Amino acid sequence: MITSSECVAGRKLWKYWRNNLKYSTTYRTTNAYLKTGPSIGRVNDISFEDLVVLLREKKVIAVSKACLQRIHLLSTFRHGSPPEVQVPESVNVRVFLAAFMIAYRPTNVFENMGPLEQDLYESAGPMLASFEAICHAIQTCPTRCFRDVPSELTKEFPALLFDYLKRFKAWKVPDEEKLTRRIRHALIALYQAENQLPPDEPEDSRLKVEFCTQIERLRGKLVQIAGADALRRFDDERLQGRAGDAAAKSRPQAAAAASSGGGSQSVLPGRMSNEQLAHELLLDPSFQLDEDGGCSAENPVYHRIRESIHRAFWDSLVDDLKLANPCYVRVLRVLGEIRDGLCDLLGKKETSAMNEVFDLGAIKEQTEQGRFVWSCVGTLVLSVVEVIKRVQTPKREEETAAKWAQVQATLEGAEVAEQPRAFCKGLEFLLERVNAMRIDAANARLRLISPVIKEHGIEYERGKFADKLNDGSLTLTMTKKWMCKVLK
């Protein structure tokens, strides 16, 4: 005998079917998706930036969600659900749409192609192809009904979808941890840099506005990736760490604000241009670059800001190496910068020897296979130090020897837990030595061109001045504004 609750359930099912599955609803849903959604052909014809914009459109999300739910529901009714171990908590349409970026723009999505990334990449394409084949089959069926779609097209889709979702979750968890740590380090650096500004810095100054923009952007990114609780914990830790610092409290409870950030260093003055170098040599033929590659008269505030950002980068790199699955992507970039810097300074014979020491392809393969062990670190750093000792100028020998002794002691005495930081200390030392050698080489070139600048410098500056007048980058109005600002 049918109970009253069963009658109610039956009526609800009938009402759902009448409103959602009758009158060619499946045909209309798939048709809307194929016209508006991100089809495979369309994705291949647009840039990654345009694809990101497309996948964020509300209409695209809505039609994709309706179509995915329909195909998923009907395929499951026809073939049953995959084994329980494969079924995630829910089918998220945004995760489904992310498959288009993963399958067709993997280099824009993944920082490196490790095992988790490879598994996810390999699962995204077949799932999307199966989904689109079902949609096209419904459109071309004479009856325009799902029941007439060949069973071989629909049979694998539930398993392909759940396999993709499972692999996405396996990749997402460690990736979110890595991104969260990086954002925290960047925020710390930005807050520290902001506190280096003088107390009377105008609220609308370029630096102040840039710091505020980047901080709010990064805070929003932290909320997006790790949730509001992660932002609250960060704010609590930051304020406790600066309990007696009024500057830390000067930024009010922006904890509720949600936005995120990146390269604030772009607003700082860059390295000296050719025009600036020529001008300095014209005024002082003995002018040379300082240890940081700039003019020693640089604003000390800028110097302290650079130091905050510099320290945050290395702390963030240490965290990359402390992950359960260490991320060597940025380590390899630093190694590449060290190698390229040395190759620019070396002769052909030394360059070939350097390339043998710095076989980045082999190092990358070792890191991906888990064979880049601590002994490899020591061998690599020591080999590069020997090259540096051979090619550096005599005035650097004592300085290099003293610094290397400290780094070597750190490397040799590092416990397992401290090995990531010791490795980064070694990389920082190598990069700093290479940059010092580059500055020495640049200063040597300045000595060579100094007589030429003395002879032709005025003509050169007149020519550059005329160029700026002609292209509109220098005007009388701008000059007046600059003079008023300087004279204040």
Side-chain angles (χ1 to χ4, degrees):
M1 183 176 178
I2 300 176
T3 64
S4 59
S5 60
E6 289 173 335
C7 288
V8 171
R11 282 196 296 270
K12 286 183 178 180
L13 285 172
W14 178 77
K15 185 177 179 181
Y16 178 85
W17 175 84
R18 184 185 65 186
N19 292 334
N20 296 281
L21 301 178
K22 202 177 177 186
Y23 307 122
S24 303
T25 309
T26 301
Y27 172 81
R28 287 188 280 109
T29 303
T30 54
N31 186 49
Y33 171 79
L34 291 173
K35 283 184 176 179
T36 309
S39 64
I40 294 172
R42 186 179 182 185
V43 167
N44 283 323
D45 291 337
I46 61 178
S47 67
F48 176 74
E49 290 74 19
D50 291 338
L51 176 58
V52 172
V53 173
L54 175 67
L55 297 180
R56 288 177 177 172
E57 290 181 9
K58 290 183 178 180
K59 188 174 181 181
V60 170
I61 294 171
V63 299
S64 300
K65 181 178 181 179
C67 192
L68 175 63
Q69 288 179 340
R70 181 60 52 85
I71 300 299
H72 171 236
L73 178 69
L74 295 174
S75 297
T76 303
F77 279 170
R78 176 184 278 188
H79 303 289
S81 297
E84 189 67 27
V85 292
Q86 287 191 352
V87 180
E89 295 76 13
S90 61
V91 179
N92 187 317
V93 67
R94 293 181 185 273
V95 175
F96 167 78
L97 290 173
F100 286 97
M101 294 188 288
I102 292 165
Y104 302 105
R105 297 291 189 278
T107 55
N108 295 102
V109 176
F110 301 129
E111 197 173 37
N112 67 314
M113 192 61 81
L116 293 176
E117 290 81 4
Q118 188 66 39
D119 287 346
L120 180 58
Y121 169 72
E122 291 174 355
S123 68
M127 184 273 294
L128 291 174
S130 173
F131 180 77
E132 197 161 307
I134 295 171
C135 293
H136 282 298
I138 293 170
Q139 293 296 301
T140 55
C141 255
T143 60
R144 297 179 174 180
C145 290
F146 180 85
R147 67 171 179 268
D148 294 322
V149 175
S151 179
E152 57 268 21
L153 281 181
T154 60
K155 182 179 180 181
E156 298 299 327
F157 178 69
L160 289 172
L161 175 63
F162 291 139
D163 183 52
Y164 163 74
L165 294 172
K166 181 182 68 174
R167 295 184 183 197
F168 184 91
K169 186 175 182 180
W171 165 75
K172 180 184 175 185
V173 172
D175 192 65
E176 283 185 349
E177 181 187 0
K178 176 179 68 179
L179 291 176
T180 299
R181 290 186 179 194
R182 288 183 183 178
I183 291 171
R184 284 173 59 90
H185 282 297
L187 276 170
I188 290 169
L190 285 168
Y191 278 117
Q192 290 175 344
E194 187 184 35
N195 286 332
Q196 300 297 338
L197 297 176
D200 58 349
E201 181 78 12
E203 288 296 322
D204 60 349
S205 73
R206 191 181 173 201
L207 264 177
K208 188 80 171 178
V209 170
E210 180 71 8
F211 282 139
C212 291
T213 302
Q214 297 293 359
I215 286 171
E216 296 309 316
R217 195 168 77 87
L218 274 176
R219 291 173 68 84
K221 199 70 175 176
L222 186 59
V223 171
Q224 181 185 346
I225 292 174
D229 287 342
L231 182 60
R232 280 193 290 271
R233 285 196 300 273
F234 170 79
D235 283 329
D236 290 343
E237 292 170 11
R238 185 174 66 86
L239 292 173
Q240 288 170 8
R242 299 180 181 180
D245 188 354
K249 298 171 186 173
S250 67
R251 192 167 185 79
Q253 275 71 18
S259 297
S260 97
S264 64
Q265 201 162 358
S266 60
V267 78
L268 296 177
R271 297 305 181 196
M272 297 186 73
S273 65
N274 289 339
E275 292 172 57
Q276 291 171 315
L277 288 171
H279 182 73
E280 292 294 341
L281 285 172
L282 193 60
L283 297 176
D284 178 12
S286 63
F287 169 80
Q288 62 180 14
L289 299 171
D290 63 18
E291 291 298 307
D292 294 322
C295 174
S296 57
E298 181 186 44
N299 190 325
V301 171
Y302 293 156
H303 178 74
R304 291 195 295 271
I305 291 173
R306 289 186 200 279
E307 283 296 310
S308 297
I309 296 171
H310 172 86
R311 192 72 268 137
F313 169 77
W314 289 107
D315 288 342
S316 176
L317 202 62
V318 172
D319 273 354
D320 277 6
L321 298 179
K322 286 184 175 181
L323 293 169
N325 294 310
C327 177
Y328 287 92
V329 175
R330 294 193 295 170
V331 168
L332 291 169
R333 289 178 192 157
V334 172
L335 288 172
E337 188 174 343
I338 294 169
R339 183 198 61 184
D340 294 344
L342 284 172
C343 288
D344 290 342
L345 299 166
L346 299 173
K348 288 184 178 180
K349 184 176 179 181
E350 286 282 9
T351 298
S352 59
M354 187 75 252
N355 286 329
E356 290 181 13
V357 172
F358 254 130
D359 187 347
L360 289 183
I363 295 172
K364 182 180 179 182
E365 186 177 325
Q366 287 178 329
T367 60
E368 290 174 350
Q369 297 175 357
R371 295 188 291 108
F372 192 70
V373 294
W374 185 241
S375 59
C376 298
V377 171
T379 302
L380 175 64
V381 174
L382 182 59
S383 300
V384 179
V385 169
E386 293 303 319
V387 175
I388 289 173
K389 286 179 177 179
R390 288 202 301 271
V391 298
Q392 67 183 350
T393 58
K395 71 173 186 177
R396 296 282 183 186
E397 290 177 359
E398 186 176 342
E399 179 185 9
T400 298
K403 290 185 176 182
W404 169 236
Q406 295 178 354
V407 173
Q408 189 174 26
T410 301
L411 290 170
E412 291 176 352
E415 300 290 337
V416 175
E418 284 301 311
Q419 286 176 356
R421 185 167 296 280
F423 184 22
C424 290
K425 286 284 186 186
L427 292 176
E428 186 177 2
F429 165 74
L430 295 178
L431 190 60
E432 185 266 333
R433 289 292 86 193
V434 169
N435 286 335
M437 292 162 63
R438 278 175 157 170
I439 291 166
D440 290 341
N443 282 331
R445 286 193 288 271
L446 290 178
R447 299 284 67 74
L448 293 175
I449 66 171
S450 181
V452 179
I453 294 297
K454 184 178 181 180
E455 187 75 22
H456 303 286
I458 294 176
E459 296 173 25
Y460 174 79
E461 290 201 325
R462 282 176 177 167
K464 289 296 181 180
F465 186 82
D467 290 342
K468 289 186 177 183
L469 285 175
N470 292 332
D471 64 23
S473 59
L474 183 62
T475 64
L476 182 60
T477 302
M478 293 169 62
T479 303
K480 287 180 178 178
K481 286 183 179 179
W482 172 76
M483 291 180 71
C484 290
K485 183 179 179 181
V486 170
L487 294 173
K488 277 184 180 180

